[in-house]
Amino acid sequence: MNELLRGLDAQQRDAVTCPPSATVVHAGAGSGKTRVLTHRIAYRVATGSALPENILAITFTREAAGEMRRRLAGLGIGARGSMGPTVGTFHAVALALLRQRLTDLGQLVPNIVHNRNALATSAAGAHFLAQRPRDLLMEIDWAHARMIEPADYAAAVKRNQRSVPAPAADIAEMFKQYEALKKKRQVVDLDDLLARVVSDMQNDAAYAEVVRWRFRHLFVDEAQDMNPLQYALFTAIRGGRPDVFVVGDPLQAIYGWNGADRMLFDTLPDQLGQTTILKLPNNYRCSPHIVHAARHAAKQSGEPVDIVAVREDGPPVQLVGFDTAEKEASGIAQLLWKYAPTAGADPWSSVAVLVRTNNQVAAIAKELKKAGIPIGSSKQSADITAAIGLAAQCGSRNALATWAADTLAESMDEAEREVAAMVFEFLHLDQPGVVDGRAFNAWTTANHISKAAESGVDLLTFHGAKGREWNCVVVAGAESGLLPHGSAISADAKKEEIRLAYVALTRAANQLFVTYAEKRGTRNGGLSPLLEGLPKRAPSPEDLAREEAAAAVRAAMPRTSSGQPTILDKLTTWRRHLARSSNLAPHEICSDADLMELSAMTPTSVEDFAQIFGDLTAQRVGPALLEILAINSGLIDTNIA
């Protein structure tokens, strides 16, 4: 037992050992949530409060599920030869449940559509989206995730202020045709699996009890990314029972565009009832400078930012602007060569360049290659080898096809998607003999598809970087129009862009570069408003000590004979209240020196505060400061002898 708890901090230990009732854990970036989740499962088994075979742990990616299984095996849970927990994605869990139910009933398991792009193209007919099937499928998947029928799609788009690739009425008709084609061809897609299991459990009480008896202890990872359909499956399996352990981070909810609804996580304590809410604020990944920069971005959403740096410091954050996107791309290469001498013999093994959109990749890749910096093929080869290994574990043709369909539907990993496409190529070859994962592996070997891995810089989108980390990260294109992205119209979408910036910044462990262009093509850029005033370093202990000393001096200042507060007192109170509402330390709003300068000002407009706060912040805080500094008969002169 002591071995399970060794090395955990106080908050992690509380999460692992809390009573077996409804528990929601807010796990900040880099806080060791996977460790806590797996140790919690192991602790429940070790204390006899749960049997491994009655545990269901749901994740959002196969990679996360595989990592959880490996860690559990390392803790002696589900090791070879022993009964272990069921660990899988929502889709994998639904497929297993449906397959078992239909087998028990003597019915055929439905075929999963193998080529969704072709089906979407057929559904689109002569519409221009027939040439862009992935755009159409994204809308269909969003509707499935939100449990929206074709007839209700257009109204839902309007209600959610969703940016769509074609008129909503057109997409609704193509969506209707897509559903009709599935029915005609007797195939289902992955979201149909979830909907079918939910429906069966709602309409068959005996079946629901069987599922709930089997899965008596429910664990969910990355719960902030649940969409309504996944939440419905979670609710059906839970069945009102309190034995659930849910982990998530509201600040990393970045899949609203794909149907996720973070409010499901936010309101979960109310739904569960008598819920224990715990927090894991300690960030063990990022240097204090990087944590401070990430906090600066995240606080603009107005949401609580529970993240604290606990590791040693690293170099300051470097914010670098360029005239054009082309100069930015070449400048990134120069920044990485300046970083390389500090990174040891293999400088590129833990470096990433993160971009908001795939459109940025080509120019950066070209300049990195020109500068002799390896990218893409090295990491891609390793990932392809790993993905082929996953596919090789499939024991039948149907399992192999299901894995590929699952991957194309939910994975954002380009290597996995490439291997999934190769699986369908392999299946269409009409191979003789047994067709399964091992046969596919042999086919890839015969065709020299798997290559030796070499180190190189990872170049991928912010979304694709979630869940990963690097020693050095370049966050590129941090500018207006890209961050927040121009498609973010609604207030919720704009807040999601802030969270996306937070996710990108917290991928860096030691060195963080943030770059932007003043002009990108014909569009004006400039530094993103989300990063305006980005601090290059966290306040040092000396800075904090000076702030405390200045506060002590202010406290010792004499009051007026009437006992009324001075202007400096009022400004200090204003700063304290603003810091509290923004979840910041007072010095993060402005320094004591800034307060002294403000107290001596006689401003006539909010623009007068720009020299202290910058233009954007001045616009936000200026009206309150004008009111404080306005001349009024009850306010004394602040010049104290």
Side-chain angles (χ1 to χ4, degrees):
M1 190 70 67
N2 289 336
E3 190 65 29
L4 277 175
L5 304 180
R6 183 172 296 143
L8 300 178
D9 65 30
Q11 293 88 350
Q12 291 172 335
R13 184 183 293 253
D14 287 344
V16 168
T17 62
C18 68
S21 60
T23 304
V24 174
V25 181
H26 289 237
S31 63
K33 68 176 180 61
T34 304
R35 186 183 190 197
V36 166
L37 194 55
T38 52
H39 280 243
R40 170 65 172 177
I41 293 172
Y43 182 83
R44 291 289 304 274
V45 173
T47 57
S49 63
L51 295 174
E53 58 267 31
N54 297 134
I55 292 173
L56 172 62
I58 304 178
T59 69
F60 275 78
T61 66
R62 287 168 309 286
E63 181 183 26
E67 177 64 21
M68 190 177 296
R69 292 190 199 101
R70 284 190 291 272
R71 294 200 190 194
L72 287 171
L75 296 171
I77 308 298
R80 187 177 297 277
S82 65
M83 181 69 74
T86 298
V87 181
T89 65
F90 278 96
H91 289 123
V93 169
L95 177 59
L97 287 173
L98 183 59
R99 181 180 288 129
Q100 183 63 57
R101 174 169 171 79
L102 294 179
T103 300
D104 292 344
L105 294 174
Q107 299 178 13
L108 293 176
V109 178
N111 290 318
I112 296 175
V113 59
H114 290 168
N115 192 335
R116 297 185 75 217
N117 282 348
L119 195 65
T121 297
S122 296
H127 197 278
F128 71 84
L129 281 186
Q131 306 301 317
R132 293 159 51 187
R134 289 189 65 178
D135 287 347
L136 174 57
L137 287 173
M138 183 179 295
E139 293 309 302
I140 291 173
D141 289 344
W142 176 79
H144 281 165
R146 294 289 179 119
M147 304 172 73
I148 297 167
E149 297 295 328
D152 302 320
Y153 171 82
V157 165
K158 182 177 181 179
R159 184 170 59 252
N160 287 274
Q161 296 181 277
R162 182 171 175 82
S163 178
V164 292
D170 292 359
I171 296 176
E173 179 60 31
M174 289 181 275
F175 180 13
K176 179 181 177 181
Q177 292 301 319
Y178 177 85
E179 297 299 309
L181 283 172
K182 284 194 301 181
K183 186 174 182 179
K184 179 179 179 181
R185 299 179 186 182
Q186 297 183 320
V187 295
V188 297
D189 56 25
L190 293 171
D191 286 333
D192 293 329
L193 302 176
L194 274 69
R196 174 71 180 273
V197 172
V198 170
S199 176
D200 286 352
M201 292 187 69
Q202 289 174 342
N203 296 316
D204 188 336
Y207 171 61
E209 285 306 310
V210 169
V211 174
R212 292 165 189 160
W213 177 255
R214 177 185 175 190
F215 297 132
R216 297 170 222 173
H217 319 291
L218 188 55
F219 296 77
V220 183
D221 188 18
E222 299 283 9
Q224 79 279 348
D225 290 330
M226 279 194 293
N227 61 46
L229 180 56
Q230 292 164 339
Y231 184 80
L233 180 62
F234 162 77
T235 301
I237 296 174
R238 184 175 74 87
R241 297 167 301 169
D243 195 346
V244 295
F245 189 87
V246 178
V247 181
D249 180 8
L251 283 179
Q252 296 190 71
I254 59 173
Y255 293 113
W257 57 273
N258 204 26
D261 183 355
R262 62 158 285 182
M263 288 301 295
L264 297 173
F265 179 78
D266 291 345
T267 59
L268 197 54
D270 294 332
Q271 299 300 318
L272 296 176
Q274 296 184 329
T275 306
T276 299
I277 301 175
L278 300 173
K279 294 184 178 181
L280 303 178
N282 292 336
N283 178 293
Y284 292 94
R285 174 193 304 150
C286 310
S287 75
H289 290 328
I290 294 170
V291 168
H292 196 59
R295 283 176 55 88
H296 174 83
K299 72 181 183 183
Q300 299 191 50
S301 68
E303 302 171 27
V305 185
D306 294 314
I307 178 174
V308 179
V310 295
R311 50 152 285 191
E312 75 284 354
D313 217 339
V317 175
Q318 293 193 38
L319 179 63
V320 187
F322 299 90
D323 291 338
T324 65
E326 292 74 20
K327 290 183 178 179
E328 180 198 29
S330 61
I332 289 171
Q334 295 173 29
L335 289 172
L336 290 182
W337 272 120
K338 289 180 181 178
Y339 159 79
T342 70
D346 187 10
W348 315 124
S349 61
S350 186
V351 175
V353 179
L354 307 183
V355 295
R356 177 62 184 83
T357 69
N358 282 312
N359 292 336
Q360 299 166 252
V361 170
I364 296 173
K366 177 182 177 181
E367 291 299 325
L368 293 184
K369 290 177 181 177
K370 186 188 298 185
I373 298 175
I375 61 166
S377 61
S378 55
K379 182 67 168 64
Q380 185 79 346
S381 296
D383 286 350
I384 285 176
T385 300
I388 289 173
L390 291 174
Q393 299 174 28
C394 299
S396 67
R397 181 189 185 98
N398 190 58
L400 187 60
T402 298
W403 178 87
D406 191 2
T407 298
L408 288 175
E410 69 176 33
S411 178
M412 300 190 71
D413 185 287
E414 290 303 319
E416 287 189 357
R417 296 182 65 85
E418 184 175 336
V419 170
M422 289 191 288
V423 166
F424 284 128
E425 179 184 350
F426 167 73
L427 292 174
H428 291 153
L429 290 176
D430 195 22
Q431 297 286 337
V434 176
V435 176
D436 58 12
R438 287 181 297 178
F440 171 70
N441 188 35
W443 178 74
T444 61
T445 302
N447 287 275
H448 307 289
I449 291 172
S450 182
K451 306 170 186 176
E454 301 172 0
S455 65
V457 171
D458 291 321
L459 178 52
L460 65 169
T461 65
F462 294 174
H463 285 102
K466 188 170 183 290
R468 299 178 63 178
E469 62 182 79
W470 295 266
N471 188 60
C472 171
V473 167
V474 179
V475 174
E479 62 203 46
S480 299
L482 281 178
L483 192 65
H485 194 269
S487 63
I489 300 173
S490 68
D492 286 344
K494 290 176 181 177
K495 285 188 175 183
E496 185 163 304
E497 290 291 308
I498 295 173
R499 297 194 294 270
L500 189 56
Y502 171 82
V503 167
L505 296 171
T506 54
R507 298 312 93 191
N510 193 58
Q511 176 69 72
L512 174 63
F513 299 104
V514 179
T515 66
Y516 64 95
E518 293 292 344
K519 197 171 186 66
R520 187 170 297 273
T522 59
R523 179 180 59 78
N524 291 328
L527 180 62
S528 165
L530 304 184
L531 301 177
E532 188 76 33
L534 181 73
K536 297 181 179 180
R537 62 169 62 245
S540 67
E542 293 77 14
D543 293 333
L544 296 176
R546 282 194 295 270
E547 292 283 344
E548 292 177 2
V553 169
R554 287 199 313 274
M557 284 182 176
R559 310 289 279 186
T560 65
S561 58
S562 64
Q564 293 297 311
T566 67
I567 289 182
L568 191 58
D569 291 328
K570 286 179 173 287
L571 290 170
T572 302
T573 300
W574 163 80
R575 182 180 67 171
R576 183 173 67 251
H577 288 167
L578 181 58
R580 184 178 300 163
S581 66
S582 303
N583 289 287
L584 297 172
H587 70 267
E588 293 182 271
I589 300 297
C590 63
S591 68
D592 284 307
D594 291 333
L595 288 184
M596 294 296 291
E597 184 176 350
L598 283 169
S599 70
M601 289 178 66
T602 54
T604 58
S605 68
V606 296
E607 286 75 17
D608 292 338
F609 301 114
Q611 60 182 324
I612 296 176
F613 296 103
D615 292 334
L616 290 176
T617 303
Q619 292 295 324
R620 183 165 60 90
V621 304
L625 288 173
L626 279 176
E627 184 176 345
I628 292 171
L629 295 173
I631 298 175
N632 102 29
S633 59
L635 202 58
I636 66 166
D637 191 355
T638 60
N639 294 320
I640 301 175

